[in-house]
Amino acid sequence: GGGGGGGGRHPLDGLEPGLRAQVQDFLNGLSPTVYEIARHLEDIKGLMKTEYDDAMRELEVKHETATRRMGEMHADMVANAPPDHRRRDVIMHTRMQQEQLEHEYAEEKKKLMQRHAADLANQITTEQNVLSQAKVPGFYASSRPSDLSQQALILRLILASPPPGAAPPA
């Protein structure tokens, strides 16, 4: 008779052993208020992600439009250039403009990604402060990836355990 077939890992198994019992006890006595706070924090992150995705899509559409317009303009310039050395100058000039456009797009994209990363880091700090004040085990100020993934798991466990009296998810 060995143990059951492996696939029954409990979500708490992802936590450090010392934290498991604390989190289990906390979830057993989870208050509707803490659950609501966790839900709102998660909603904010969802809105931030949507905002970021929209901004990124908008940037891509702007870039595609600019690239298409520039391509049409360049095709026209090359077609109307005299067939001597000046035509080569026109082609070189158009290539430089295209490279500049790509460079600007890459810079804008990088700025957008950095801003989103900074916003997310601030939101995670807020989350850590709020949930630590609410006495949620495992929540404290940290930027260590292992702490962040433990905290993300604890937050998911809270959201997966609505207590009696909590408003159902929207």
Side-chain angles (χ1 to χ4, degrees):
R9 263 181 58 100
H10 191 278
L12 285 168
D13 294 348
L15 297 174
E16 290 170 5
L19 196 52
R20 262 180 229 155
Q22 288 176 291
V23 170
Q24 187 59 68
D25 289 346
F26 185 81
L27 291 173
N28 291 341
L30 183 62
S31 81
T33 307
V34 172
Y35 175 77
E36 290 300 317
I37 291 169
R39 237 185 57 199
H40 289 296
L41 289 168
E42 205 55 23
D43 288 348
I44 291 169
K45 279 196 299 209
L47 291 171
M48 290 171 73
K49 171 105 176 78
T50 302
E51 236 172 61
Y52 170 74
D53 290 344
D54 290 349
M56 196 57 93
R57 242 187 320 276
E58 193 178 309
L59 185 63
E60 284 165 11
V61 167
K62 249 172 50 182
H63 177 66
E64 286 164 13
T65 303
T67 302
R68 189 178 62 247
R69 285 195 185 132
M70 184 182 278
E72 291 163 359
M73 189 179 77
H74 287 172
D76 202 44
M77 285 168 65
V78 171
N80 294 321
D84 57 12
H85 68 278
R86 283 177 297 174
R87 180 184 212 122
R88 266 201 321 274
D89 291 346
V90 168
I91 291 171
M92 289 261 293
H93 179 70
T94 59
R95 198 166 289 143
M96 280 168 40
Q97 281 184 325
Q98 286 165 332
E99 286 171 9
Q100 180 61 31
L101 185 68
E102 288 306 315
H103 176 73
E104 287 169 10
Y105 170 64
E107 284 299 305
E108 282 299 305
K109 195 171 176 177
K110 185 174 150 188
K111 272 190 225 158
L112 192 61
M113 291 165 83
Q114 287 171 334
R115 194 167 55 238
H116 179 64
D119 290 347
L120 205 52
N122 290 337
Q123 180 57 28
I124 285 170
T125 300
T126 298
E127 220 167 72
Q128 290 172 337
N129 293 334
V130 168
L131 294 173
S132 134
Q133 285 170 14
K135 306 279 186 272
V136 178
F139 274 87
Y140 44 86
S142 172
S143 56
R144 283 181 48 217
S146 58
D147 292 342
L148 296 176
S149 60
Q150 295 255 350
Q151 291 174 350
L153 175 57
I154 294 167
L155 192 54
R156 279 198 307 276
L157 290 166
I158 290 172
L159 294 170
S161 322

